[in-house]
Amino acid sequence: MPVAQVPGVLSFEDARRAVEQQASQVRPPITESVDLLAASGRVLAVPVCADRDLPPFPRSSRDGYAVRAADLGRVPASLDVIGEIRAGESLENIPKLIGSGQAASIMTGAPVPAGADAVVMVEYTAQQGTRVEITRSITPGENVVPSGAEAKQGSVLVERGVRLNDAAIALAASAGQPRLLVYKRPQVAVLTTGDEIVDVGAIPGPTQIRNSNSYSVAVQIRNASGEPVLLPIAPDETLKLRALIEKGLRSDLLLMTGGVSMGRYDLVEQVLEDLKAEFFFTGAKIQPGRPIVFGKCGAGTPARESTGTYFFGLPGNPVSTMVTFELFARPMLEALAGLSPQKLRFVYAKLKSEIRVKPGLKRFLPAILSGEFEDTQVELVPWQGSGDIAATARANCYIVIPPDREFITSGEFVPIMRR
Ligand code: AMP
Ligand code: MG
């Protein structure tokens, strides 16, 4: 490869850090206001703050009796019931003060009146007329959530840069925000390369392959808060490839698939070199996905001439494309989408059957999590290598194998990455 400035093939961790380092320098996109529900999955641009204390009043977390804990030093104890407080009870119906020897019947979610400092669960009580007998003592504060204990008025409930999930949307709802300001999705150009690749609707010749990578990548882009823009398939021909790459560089991010290996017609790197691209790495010691390329190029991008556009050359083998997107393209896209940096974290599962591999590469091999509840197990999916989309579709995770392991016994806990 006649590329002098190229830093070359990095370890997985160094390559990931190189992306994270670049990602930490990008600015978030412009914002738009959307309906609360439409904001689900989007990235929050302005923090959601509490418009009042949460809870706004000392809230009973049980059905029972609001009491003074000191009255239950000795049980059973008999107290005078001076009222009933339902959830949403109007202020004038709530006893002003629970005095010594007094209690009020109270429901979950109702405000605990002044004087009371605990709620005895109804299970430990028996009411007869206006008296209630209580059989359990209680410590002050039990079954009462003090006002402002969950959040103080004016405090941040959901930070900027968070992808809005169910809990975040619920918080925005509880803070009275029917619309939210979110970041616009960055436009991600998807350029697939290869003389053998034809469109989905075309009838492939005997040696041709339908384009599947543009579609898997487009789905991954959507999941990572981006908006995919599919470019026409680029042939393995320098001038046409260059024109399409220049077009792709006008997007917020360019993802190419194929044409980055060592073959005679793998032209992507050469074309980017001609366009004076800066390369951060041209490979990672991983499998699948070793030929992954990451860089930045200012050519053909009038709006971004100074800053340049980041690009990834993802390997063409379909499983390599999916894996390298997750490992490397995702953090950059998420940064461009305004998301706060996310560390890549693997979780552990028990290996069902032993694994033997050649050492030297960090591997991300398609695998199936099976079992149930706490008894989860994982095993490799039999596959024909990094072109095997069918095997990968049956997988629901990747087993992560460090480069120094050759043999992993069944029963060992191994790191996995969900897919
Ligand atoms: P390449 O990285 O260009 O050498 O491609 C590696 C393998 O991936 C070859 O077998 C290609 O046919 C296949 N491939 C490349 N691009 C695509 C695509 N868009 N959809 C499906 N397979 C592809
Ligand atoms: Mg190719």
Side-chain angles (χ1 to χ4, degrees):
M1 206 172 20
V3 188
Q5 50 162 324
V6 163
V9 180
L10 304 184
S11 72
F12 162 69
E13 288 77 10
D14 286 348
R16 170 80 188 193
R17 293 222 178 83
V19 176
E20 288 177 352
Q21 212 272 325
Q22 295 299 318
S24 70
Q25 295 172 29
V26 305
R27 279 198 298 272
I30 58 171
T31 61
E32 62 184 331
S33 163
V34 297
D35 278 344
L36 185 55
L37 263 190
S40 145
R42 303 293 300 272
V43 182
L44 188 66
V46 170
V48 171
C49 294
D51 66 328
R52 56 181 188 156
D53 281 355
L54 284 184
F57 47 80
R59 181 182 67 211
S60 174
S61 59
R62 292 281 188 268
D63 297 318
Y65 290 84
V67 298
R68 300 165 81 104
D71 285 348
L72 304 180
R74 216 171 286 148
V75 284
S78 177
L79 301 176
D80 195 16
V81 181
I82 62 166
E84 183 193 75
I85 312 163
R86 298 151 50 130
E89 192 70 76
S90 55
L91 280 179
E92 61 269 23
N93 292 338
I94 299 173
K96 293 286 164 286
L97 186 75
I98 301 292
S100 182
Q102 294 182 326
S105 163
I106 193 165
M107 313 300 147
T108 302
V112 176
D117 57 8
V119 170
V120 182
M121 288 167 68
V122 71
E123 287 83 341
Y124 307 124
T125 67
Q127 187 172 347
Q128 264 181 346
T130 60
R131 303 289 297 175
V132 62
E133 188 177 76
I134 295 177
T135 54
R136 279 252 181 128
S137 59
I138 195 164
T139 50
E142 226 175 298
N143 301 326
V144 180
V145 184
S147 63
E150 293 162 357
K152 291 268 180 255
Q153 182 178 11
S155 67
V156 173
L157 295 174
V158 191
E159 304 271 0
R160 181 211 77 79
V162 160
R163 182 177 282 122
L164 294 157
N165 64 10
D166 49 358
I169 294 284
L171 276 169
S174 67
Q177 300 212 8
R179 293 182 72 78
L180 290 174
L181 212 57
V182 298
Y183 289 119
K184 282 208 163 177
R185 295 172 180 277
Q187 301 251 312
V188 184
V190 181
L191 177 58
T192 207
T193 72
D195 283 339
E196 78 280 29
I197 311 298
V198 297
D199 273 324
V200 181
I203 295 168
T207 58
Q208 291 181 317
I209 299 290
R210 293 197 185 93
N211 174 18
S212 62
N213 285 347
S214 292
Y215 296 92
S216 60
V217 166
V219 172
Q220 290 177 294
I221 289 170
R222 287 225 172 104
N223 290 340
S225 303
E227 192 57 50
V229 181
L230 271 52
L231 297 178
I233 296 166
D236 294 321
E237 192 267 292
T238 305
L239 284 181
K240 288 186 179 135
L241 178 61
R242 179 181 168 130
L244 284 165
I245 286 181
E246 284 182 311
K247 188 165 185 207
L249 287 169
R250 278 173 229 142
S251 291
D252 299 310
L253 177 65
L254 168 60
L255 298 185
M256 295 159 283
T257 87
V260 289
S261 308
M262 297 300 282
R264 190 170 302 143
Y265 301 101
D266 290 324
L267 305 170
V268 167
E269 260 174 82
Q270 190 55 56
V271 168
L272 284 159
E273 158 102 342
D274 293 345
L275 290 170
K276 308 255 181 307
E278 179 185 358
F279 291 88
F280 303 113
F281 55 81
T282 55
K285 290 177 192 151
I286 58 169
Q287 192 238 353
R290 196 172 199 278
I292 169 83
V293 173
F294 173 43
K296 190 157 97 165
C297 186
T301 58
R304 259 181 291 277
E305 195 79 57
S306 55
T307 54
T309 303
Y310 287 101
F311 63 82
F312 288 88
L314 307 177
N317 262 317
V319 186
S320 309
T321 311
M322 291 181 229
V323 169
T324 50
F325 178 96
E326 279 313 306
L327 298 177
F328 304 113
R330 176 182 272 274
M332 175 52 75
L333 171 50
E334 288 182 337
L336 290 164
L339 201 78
S340 299
Q342 313 284 306
K343 291 282 178 221
L344 186 59
R345 293 188 191 95
F346 305 131
V347 292
Y348 280 75
K350 197 191 223 173
L351 191 61
K352 199 167 168 184
S353 17
E354 65 177 41
I355 297 178
R356 278 173 204 279
V357 288
K358 284 206 203 90
L361 298 174
K362 186 142 184 160
R363 291 171 203 268
F364 298 86
L365 302 180
I368 295 185
L369 272 174
S370 58
E372 197 184 17
F373 304 133
E374 288 83 354
D375 185 27
T376 308
Q377 297 196 316
V378 67
E379 66 185 326
L380 293 179
V381 176
W383 73 326
Q384 302 301 318
S386 51
D388 194 343
I389 318 175
T392 307
R394 286 192 292 276
N396 51 20
C397 67
Y398 301 99
I399 293 180
V400 184
I401 305 175
D404 58 348
R405 294 299 298 271
E406 270 180 277
F407 178 62
I408 307 176
T409 50
S410 66
E412 191 174 318
F413 278 80
V414 291
I416 61 163
M417 177 171 82
R418 291 307 294 265
R419 56 164 276 112

